[in-house]
């Protein structure tokens, strides 16, 4: 028998099958020899795995699913915590900047009520050098001697020649009329003398009337303001503004257009403000006249002062 390096018998030698007396291998059909039985006895006995009960299997599966649920609930908790933190930051974070009001004062009521409040508020603030009120102002719907003004005919210079004009007819239904009366004969200013400075102050007053009206009477599309005449004359001039004419001024606070506080006196208007008043009002000064219409209404005709 061969020996391994340690001197012990090799397992392969122990498993060899001896030949019979004639040197031939044994017939497989014969009963197992002693060597074969010895070889079989040396093989390890098979170990059958003990079957697991259904409860054990379910318990193991439950632990697996329970782990997945714990993980899912943990992730959901993290999402909810993040959302709560974001909400807290939104509620406690810096608030957005709020724009300043368009004006410190504002009227109330419907459009006509607001126009009357605007007239009352503005007229009290404009004064002459002697401290007298410049004019009184009455607000009302577009009409003359209780006859409705149904249209406004607006003349403008033609681009084809200085002596030619274009005429546009505008509806007067969404207009407000202001009458500036100086309490003298035919509404002339009672005290002082007419001057370019006083006319500029009157134009500033009509500009403020129009701005307040367009800002707080949203259904009004145009403003007509009849100016007081010179002493001994009939009223001749009016100011006419459409909402689109002052859109830029309506998009920013009133104080950015006219100096806040008490209006200046005729002779104390600064050069910068005088330039602003002229640029916003010169093109809106017109001569006016009325003409009856076939439908029983009246058309207000507006011509440039030089016409």
């Amino acid at each position: 028998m061969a020996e391994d390096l340690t001197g012990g018998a090799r397992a392969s030698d122990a498993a060899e099958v001896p030949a019979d007396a004639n040197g031939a291998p044994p017939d497989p059909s014969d009963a197992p020899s002693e060597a074969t039985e010895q070889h079989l006895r040396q093989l390890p006995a098979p170990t059958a795995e003990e079957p697991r009960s259904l409860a054990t299997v379910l318990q193991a599966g439950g632990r697996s699913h329970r782990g997945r649920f714990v993980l899912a609930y943990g992730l959901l908790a993290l999402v909810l915590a993040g959302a709560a933190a974001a909400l807290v930051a939104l509620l406690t974070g810096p608030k957005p900047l709020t724009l300043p009001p368009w004006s410190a004062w504002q009227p109330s009521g419907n459009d006509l009520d607001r126009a009357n409040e605007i007239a009352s508020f503005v007229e009290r603030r404009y004064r002459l050098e002697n401290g007298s009120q410049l004019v009184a102002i009455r607000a009302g719907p577009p009409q003359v001697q209780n006859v409705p003004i149904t249209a406004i005919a607006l003349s403008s210079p033609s681009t084809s020649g200085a002596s030619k004009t274009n005429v546009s007819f505008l509806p007067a239904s969404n207009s407000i009329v202001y009458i500036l009366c100086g309490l003298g004969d035919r509404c002339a200013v009672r005290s002082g003398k007419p001057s370019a400075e006083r006319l500029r102050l009157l134009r500033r007053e009509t500009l403020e009337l129009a701005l307040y009206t367009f800002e707080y009477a949203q259904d009004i599309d145009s403003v007509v303001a009849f100016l007081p005449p010179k002493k001994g004359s009939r009223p001749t001039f009016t100011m006419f503004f459409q909402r689109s004419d002052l859109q830029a001024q309506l998009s920013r606070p009133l104080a950015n257009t006219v100096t806040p506080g008490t209006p200046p006196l005729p002779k104390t208007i600064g050069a910068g403000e005088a330039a602003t008043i002229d640029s916003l009002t010169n093109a809106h000064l017109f001569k006016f006249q009325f003409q009856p219409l076939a439908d029983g209404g009246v058309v207000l005709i507006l011509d440039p002062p030089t016409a």
Side-chain angles (χ1 to χ4, degrees):
M1 182 183 298
E3 293 181 351
D4 63 4
L5 296 179
T6 59
R10 291 187 301 175
S12 58
D13 294 337
E16 290 177 356
V17 179
D20 58 10
N22 296 322
D27 187 353
S29 60
D30 295 339
S33 64
E34 181 180 353
T36 301
E37 291 179 356
Q38 182 181 359
H39 172 70
L40 292 177
R41 283 195 299 268
Q42 291 177 351
L43 294 177
T47 56
E49 182 180 357
E50 182 181 354
R52 294 188 295 173
S53 66
L54 178 60
T56 304
V57 173
L58 292 179
Q59 184 177 5
R63 285 195 297 269
S64 176
H65 288 297
R66 187 162 53 249
R68 294 194 187 100
F69 280 123
V70 169
L71 177 60
Y73 281 122
L75 292 176
L76 180 60
L78 288 176
V79 171
L80 293 177
L87 179 60
V88 170
L90 179 64
L91 295 177
T92 60
K95 292 183 172 30
L97 295 177
T98 56
L99 295 176
W102 186 82
S103 65
W105 173 87
Q106 56 183 281
S108 60
N110 59 36
D111 285 349
L112 187 56
D113 291 338
R114 293 186 178 207
N116 279 290
E117 286 189 28
I118 290 167
S120 179
F121 173 75
V122 171
E123 68 179 3
R124 295 193 303 266
R125 300 169 59 243
Y126 282 79
R127 301 280 167 174
L128 294 168
E129 279 81 359
N130 62 7
S132 300
Q133 187 171 307
L134 179 59
V135 291
I137 304 175
R138 190 183 73 181
Q143 63 182 24
V144 55
Q145 296 179 354
N146 296 324
V147 178
I149 300 172
T150 56
I152 299 172
L154 180 63
S155 298
S156 59
S158 173
T159 56
S160 60
S163 61
K164 299 179 181 180
T165 59
N166 294 326
V167 179
S168 302
F169 271 84
L170 307 172
S173 55
N174 292 330
S175 298
I176 284 290
V177 170
Y178 292 103
I179 299 176
L180 283 68
C181 186
L183 302 182
D185 184 40
R186 296 180 178 177
C187 278
V189 177
R190 181 179 295 174
S191 59
K193 295 181 179 181
S195 65
E197 292 83 7
R198 193 167 78 179
L199 177 59
R200 180 176 286 122
L201 187 62
L202 285 168
R203 286 190 280 115
R204 184 191 195 273
E205 191 166 12
T206 61
L207 174 63
E208 195 168 350
L209 289 170
L211 287 170
Y212 272 113
T213 302
F214 291 140
E215 177 65 21
Y216 295 114
Q218 297 297 323
D219 293 331
I220 300 302
D221 294 329
S222 61
V223 168
V224 179
F226 293 104
L227 299 179
K230 295 179 180 180
K231 290 180 181 179
S233 301
R234 298 177 62 87
T236 306
F237 294 98
T238 187
M239 303 291 298
F240 177 69
F241 296 96
Q242 298 181 78
R243 180 179 290 274
S244 58
D245 298 329
L246 300 174
Q247 201 63 50
Q249 287 69 41
L250 294 171
S251 66
R252 54 180 180 260
L254 177 64
N256 289 7
T257 303
V258 295
T259 305
T262 303
L265 299 175
K267 294 183 179 179
T268 63
I269 300 176
E273 186 168 15
T276 299
I277 295 169
D278 291 347
S279 67
L280 295 176
T281 62
N282 278 350
H284 302 282
L285 178 66
F286 297 92
K287 286 184 176 180
F288 74 89
Q289 57 179 309
F290 297 105
Q291 292 290 344
L293 295 174
D295 62 2
V298 170
V299 59
L300 171 63
I301 300 176
L302 302 178
D303 290 306
T306 55

